[in-house]
Amino acid sequence: MTSLRLPAGMRDFAPAAAAARRRIAETLLRVFERWGYARVITPAFEYEEVLALGLGSAAREAAIRFVEPSSGQVVALRPDITPQIARLAATRFRDEPGPLRLCYEGTVVRLDRRARSQRELIQAGIELAGVPTPDGDVEVIALGAAALAAVGLPRPTIDLGHLGLAREVLGALELPDEALPLARARIAKRDRAGLAEVLRSARGPRAVVEFASLLPELAGPPSILAVARRRPPTPGIRRALENLAAVIRALEQRGVAGKLHVDLGEVRGFDYYTGIRLHGFVAGAPEPVLAGGRYDTLLARYGRPWPAVGFAVDVEATAGALEAQADGRPAVPAVNGDGPGVLISGPSRQAEQLADELRAEGRRAAVDYGGLQGAALDAYARRWQFQEVVRLRGARSAPATPALSRGATRQPKARSSRS
Amino acid sequence: MTSLRLPAGMRDFAPAAAAARRRIAETLLRVFERWGYARVITPAFEYEEVLALGLGSAAREAAIRFVEPSSGQVVALRPDITPQIARLAATRFRDEPGPLRLCYEGTVVRLDRRARSQRELIQAGIELAGVPTPDGDVEVIALGAAALAAVGLPRPTIDLGHLGLAREVLGALELPDEALPLARARIAKRDRAGLAEVLRSARGPRAVVEFASLLPELAGPPSILAVARRRPPTPGIRRALENLAAVIRALEQRGVAGKLHVDLGEVRGFDYYTGIRLHGFVAGAPEPVLAGGRYDTLLARYGRPWPAVGFAVDVEATAGALEAQADGRPAVPAVNGDGPGVLISGPSRQAEQLADELRAEGRRAAVDYGGLQGAALDAYARRWQFQEVVRLRGARSAPATPALSRGATRQPKARSSRS
């Protein structure tokens, strides 16, 4: 017999896990819509060259590519939905003056070449195009916090970096081309000594080199921004710091439900983001549950220069955090329904009639056709989260155990007609 | 610039279309859950040999295959979710006596080699394992009708065939191996003359050949079953007809909301289905919106012999039918929310405060940061389905047009604290 294993990183979600993920995704979409974001759906794969336009180099490497059988062209499973939303915004909404607010939910597949594995993730996210001012950043960050609160993660740590700042600093350093990625890597690793070594080859102003050497340490509460703003070495760096300060000020005024953390050494997403960089962290999840930022040049790659900012929530990381916070207990019931579920045992037609009546009331109801008896029936009901067992007259089973049953004598009502 | 076209058969869904599809999928899942079905999630691709175990030959050909980069093994994007549910039922629920009720929703990709194209479809479906009697068929058919009614298609035509019957007849004909697929094709095409020609090579009993020659015409209301049952030529054929008659009798007793149509010439899905074959048709959709049946040998291919019956709803065909029935008007609003949506123009912080208050009431609200004026603001509101426009004091815009606005003077309430 064929071994039934799944490819690395692919998995099934059994009822409790699936219900938790579904509840998270639906709650997120409901919040997004309440904030005026309109849902769109994009395809699972696209021509690689179209998708790659909107991907950073890391995401391009993470895309699973194959030759489309019908055309012989290379397509890629989407490793990220944002570039698709950007493409849609720049093409189908070309004539929309904006603001454009779109949201989405879907599956992405990411390849990790080193681990020789891939992961299938569920993403739910938003994009706001056409608001270049801090108002746009603030709305997106506030929505991120509201969305996490709605799924049960009320006080995330909101980590704010600024890729425009990183861009300005690295540009003004005038490093040799080969030293640039090294400098970025050492800033990202907070490797002060290693960074100092790379910075020796910088030909830019002394003040910029000094500023850059501080970046790994400029992480902490928003007050650290004051330190950085004391002596900005170039006008571009000053503008980036002012932009970040304006966003933080507006967030503090607005009263966003989360703890702000500023990290000026944030350089991830360098080839994609242009301004604010956003990560949401919560207890119980080692990875950010939310990631995004401002990408003012992304839509131009699809033909319409239009500033945009957005984020995606990692539904799997979110479910993991909720489960960790609940000590591994499922955060939601495996099966949904209004009121307690009812399992009905007895003659099929009568049991079905009662089940239909309960369903019409919004209740969850099922008929036991399995012929389970006594304790086995009750155990089945517990396993599948039916809080009540009804044994109809004429049923084969023994009288009910009082804890689970409301009695063996319930009769279906006269059937109400439903058209 | 790279051409931004999508691969054949792939498409984006703009807000109105996306909202309709989402509403359909969520409504279906809600009904499935109300009937006691527990949601599961399965991966987008699997090892081809595992997936192929549960696919008929047509579905196997329709699977897009590629070499998984991390293992070098062949994987296939799922063309159908049922085999994955069957795998899950047979493995993870190996020790469940049953009945096992699972439901799912997800995207499948199907290749049409002749059309040199593929299609991405959204499927939502159910599987009931462990009920070998007509009770199981009846539950599944009744649930299919209830699910279609819930999405707005209240009286589907329920087309019932029986693959066990087709299997018995074709076996008893004792046709030469090469004539078997031809006989099946001609029954499917209702080609009486062509079928008669193939049947000349049959070595089976005369009565079976006569019965087989009638199959293309044995389609119509349930009463046609009486014709077929008059002289069943073999015990196997008699049993299959009795099974179908028992299911129809129970459906009529139960009062399923739909028109029953019987088609004894149904031979599609021959290598997969073993009993009842089910299609749901509605006005406005050329293709069935629902397809399924009984596949009592499918789970055994994954290691646990367990009778099962189920169906999948084609969400795209369902959306198409609803749109056709509404004369092309979108069947649902593009964006959801409780009560009319509100667009707010004015100073950012005040507008955000009012928006947050409205959202806390469950209303859909957004701030116009675009600086749109007068009629342009109202047009934007109409385009994005905000039924109200609020212009806050201090806004740059002209007084509101009465049709859309509730006035320019609304002030945010004192902000309520939300933790």
Side-chain angles (χ1 to χ4, degrees), chain B residues 178-211:
Chain B
E178 66 282 8
L180 202 60
L182 200 59
R184 228 159 58 205
R186 290 186 177 170
I187 294 171
K189 283 186 186 161
R190 315 206 178 280
D191 173 4
R192 277 208 77 181
L195 178 60
E197 196 185 314
V198 181
L199 291 181
R200 272 187 226 134
S201 61
R203 291 161 305 205
R206 180 88 205 127
V208 174
V209 174
E210 269 172 29
F211 187 87

Side-chain angles (χ1 to χ4, degrees), chain B residues 71-122:
Chain B
S71 71
Q73 284 194 269
V74 176
V75 294
L77 294 177
R78 56 187 183 190
D80 192 357
I81 298 178
T82 302
Q84 298 188 307
I85 306 297
R87 172 180 56 69
L88 198 60
T91 53
R92 205 181 281 222
F93 297 98
R94 175 177 297 275
D95 299 322
E96 171 61 59
L100 177 69
R101 292 180 171 95
L102 298 178
C103 65
Y104 59 87
E105 183 259 331
T107 284
V108 302
V109 182
R110 286 181 191 166
L111 183 61
D112 182 341
R113 290 180 195 274
R114 264 168 302 189
R116 299 178 68 79
S117 179
Q118 59 257 322
R119 286 173 68 200
E120 188 178 31
L121 300 171
I122 304 169

Side-chain angles (χ1 to χ4, degrees), chain A residues 340-374:
Chain A
V342 183
L343 180 67
I344 306 159
S345 161
S348 297
R349 294 295 90 76
Q350 281 167 261
E352 286 161 1
Q353 189 179 332
L354 176 57
D356 281 343
E357 286 165 12
L358 290 165
R359 289 164 189 153
E361 296 166 13
R363 301 285 296 274
R364 186 172 153 258
V367 175
D368 169 53
Y369 296 116
L372 292 171
Q373 309 284 325

Side-chain angles (χ1 to χ4, degrees), chain A residues 37 126-129 131 136-137 140 276 293-296 307-311:
Chain A
Y37 287 74
I126 59 112
E127 177 171 274
L128 170 63
V131 185
D137 304 276
V140 164
I276 290 289
R294 179 173 283 280
Y295 31 84
D296 282 348
V309 49
F311 66 75

Side-chain angles (χ1 to χ4, degrees), chain B residues 165 211 214-215 217-219 222-234 237-238 241-242 244 262 264:
Chain B
L165 174 72
F211 187 87
L214 292 174
L215 285 184
E217 286 170 18
L218 286 172
S223 57
I224 63 121
L225 204 50
V227 180
R229 290 177 76 193
R230 230 169 273 154
R231 268 179 301 175
T234 72
I237 292 173
R238 185 173 49 74
L241 289 169
E242 278 172 7
L244 181 55
V262 172
L264 300 187

Side-chain angles (χ1 to χ4, degrees), chain A residues 244-262:
Chain A
L244 181 54
V247 170
I248 289 171
R249 213 163 39 235
L251 281 171
E252 287 173 339
Q253 275 181 28
R254 204 183 194 293
V256 166
K259 186 171 160 248
L260 293 183
H261 181 267
V262 173

